[in-house]
Amino acid sequence: MQQGTGASETEVTWEDQQNINKFGRLNNRFHELEDEIKFAKEAIDNLEDASNELILTDEEVVRFQIGEVFAHVPKEEVETRIEEMKEVSSNNLEKLEEEKESVVAQMAELKKVLYGKFKDSINLEED
Amino acid sequence: MAAAAAASSSSTASPKTTTERRGIPGAEFVEDVEIYLSQTGLDVNSALAFLQERLQQYKLVEMKLLAQQRDLQAKIPDIEKCLDVVATLQAKKGTGEALIADFEVSEGIYSRARIEDNDSVCLWLGANVMLEYSCEEATSLLRKNLENAKASLEVLIADLQFLRDQVTITQVTIARVYNWDVHQRRIRQTSTSSTAKDSIT
């Protein structure tokens, strides 16, 4: 994202600078959130695959990864654990999506303000 | 333009910069380019060179902080995994059965371990030191480490945000100084061409 001011005579006030700074912070947070959302979705997919495999398997004891080792855990306990993990992951994903929407809305507001004052002198788009 | 400059400098009385934060120098916000250049006594090229150098310094610090952030972000899930293991061992304690686990002996080679009921675990503290703790002590130590790591990460993120703001301010200042210079050259050019026209006529 470029933030240049063009060759016009518009003065940049401290308030403008703060708005530009805030836009920069929001844009960074937006990209971080996109990455985090990608990871969260992958985690949920993996848990889905795991629970599907569980249904298919006929073993009574499943090797479940705890920390760095694979503990022998009875199937029912594994099912419960996976359900809990899925719950946590989808709550997390929901929170991330909400934060992303709020960030996007704030960025749109700031764009209106900054383009309103600086028009062509400022570029707030992704490069 | 002088009236506009006076108006803009009187309107914002709030503090415009934090001088520095944990060793990172703050970027001074420039209200008016002309006043800034006369205050610092620099000509345009020197001012631009100074600001560019500042920008490079900021970039270096940013890379260092980003590396630290990556390390911390990797450490936190590790500590959480350790807490998980200790919790599992504690849960098994009551039942009296041993925990059977497959662990990595070497890359790609796994072996089976039978972990009997016991009250203590050994924690790797770093620097080739490993200490034995009771399960409760281990849990509280790990929790404390997790808290510290999360707190450090928050401070680091705040530092990065401050740094990025200073980078943005510096970039905007560079653009404004450059544009002011272009504007000045244009004014000088039109005035010399008009005096030339006058002398011809």
Side-chain angles (χ1 to χ4, degrees):
Chain A
M1 178 194 58
Q2 289 168 12
Q3 293 159 339
T5 39
S8 75
E9 295 192 34
T10 331
E11 286 300 318
V12 178
T13 64
W14 175 234
E15 197 189 327
D16 295 328
Q17 182 67 73
Q18 283 180 306
N19 281 342
I20 296 176
N21 287 350
K22 187 161 172 213
F23 186 84
R25 284 195 196 194
L26 286 172
N27 194 38
N28 281 328
R29 184 68 193 135
F30 174 72
H31 288 296
E32 279 174 17
L33 280 171
E34 289 213 309
D35 283 341
E36 284 178 34
I37 287 177
K38 198 176 72 156
F39 281 137
K41 285 198 175 146
E42 273 175 27
I44 292 183
D45 283 344
N46 287 339
L47 288 171
E48 271 301 324
D49 290 345
S51 60
N52 290 341
E53 283 295 324
L54 255 193
I55 300 172
L56 293 172
T57 187
D58 48 4
E59 286 178 41
E60 200 27 63
V61 168
V62 181
R63 286 173 206 61
F64 184 77
Q65 182 179 21
I66 303 181
E68 295 299 317
V69 302
F70 294 90
H72 290 209
V73 184
K75 198 164 144 188
E76 299 85 41
E77 197 182 322
V78 177
E79 275 174 7
T80 323
R81 284 207 188 212
I82 292 194
E83 282 308 312
E84 279 172 28
M85 285 165 78
K86 275 204 278 190
E87 184 75 31
V88 164
S89 288
S90 53
N91 286 342
N92 189 31
L93 184 66
E94 216 177 287
K95 257 197 321 186
L96 289 174
E97 299 271 14
E98 274 178 28
E99 194 184 340
K100 188 172 112 166
E101 274 178 35
S102 139
V103 163
V104 166
Q106 288 180 57
M107 277 168 67
E109 265 308 305
L110 280 175
K111 268 193 188 180
K112 263 196 289 189
V113 170
L114 288 170
Y115 279 141
K117 170 142 187 208
F118 292 110
K119 302 188 218 341
D120 285 341
S121 306
I122 194 168
N123 174 27
L124 298 169
E125 308 304 319
E126 299 288 324
D127 32 43
Chain B
M1 185 146 71
S8 62
S9 54
S10 57
S11 58
T12 43
S14 51
K16 297 198 283 280
T17 50
T18 354
T19 37
E20 61 111 56
R21 184 196 155 107
R22 291 172 25 107
I24 307 171
E28 185 195 330
F29 176 67
V30 170
E31 283 284 3
D32 180 85
V33 178
E34 201 157 347
I35 297 178
Y36 171 71
L37 286 175
S38 61
Q39 266 179 350
T40 53
L42 294 169
D43 69 312
V44 175
N45 288 332
S46 317
L48 283 175
F50 167 72
L51 290 168
Q52 288 284 13
E53 199 190 312
R54 260 300 173 82
L55 204 61
Q56 293 305 332
Q57 289 170 342
Y58 283 147
K59 290 287 177 197
L60 278 174
V61 177
E62 185 178 359
M63 285 205 283
K64 198 176 69 153
L65 289 180
L66 280 175
Q68 284 177 355
Q69 184 188 20
R70 271 194 298 268
D71 286 341
L72 273 176
Q73 279 175 331
K75 213 165 90 158
I76 288 176
D78 276 348
I79 304 179
E80 285 172 347
K81 274 197 251 183
C82 291
L83 273 170
D84 215 356
V85 173
V86 176
T88 310
L89 284 174
Q90 266 187 312
K92 274 289 187 182
K93 253 201 307 195
T95 63
E97 15 169 287
L99 179 69
I100 304 185
D102 296 342
F103 65 98
E104 196 174 26
V105 182
S106 172
E107 187 145 353
I109 303 176
Y110 290 77
S111 176
R112 193 150 295 169
R114 184 191 184 81
I115 305 173
E116 297 287 344
D117 206 359
N118 58 7
D119 299 316
S120 64
V121 288
C122 296
L123 288 180
W124 176 264
L125 300 177
N128 287 340
V129 173
M130 180 178 264
L131 276 185
E132 187 173 351
Y133 291 92
S134 73
C135 285
E136 289 82 24
E137 284 174 343
T139 310
S140 64
L141 180 68
L142 286 170
R143 285 227 176 93
K144 195 167 66 99
N145 286 349
L146 189 64
E147 290 307 315
N148 290 344
K150 286 188 175 167
S152 299
L153 188 63
E154 272 182 34
V155 169
L156 202 67
I157 288 178
D159 282 350
L160 269 171
Q161 284 187 328
F162 173 76
L163 185 67
R164 289 202 179 110
D165 281 353
Q166 307 316 304
V167 166
T168 309
I169 294 176
T170 310
Q171 285 172 329
V172 170
T173 308
I174 289 177
R176 288 168 66 205
V177 168
Y178 183 76
N179 293 338
W180 180 85
D181 184 46
V182 165
H183 188 64
Q184 293 298 107
R185 283 175 205 265
R186 231 184 268 153
I187 292 180
R188 263 178 272 146
Q189 217 175 25
T190 46
S191 68
T192 47
S193 61
S194 61
T195 45
K197 259 197 287 192
D198 290 341
S199 58
I200 291 173
T201 54

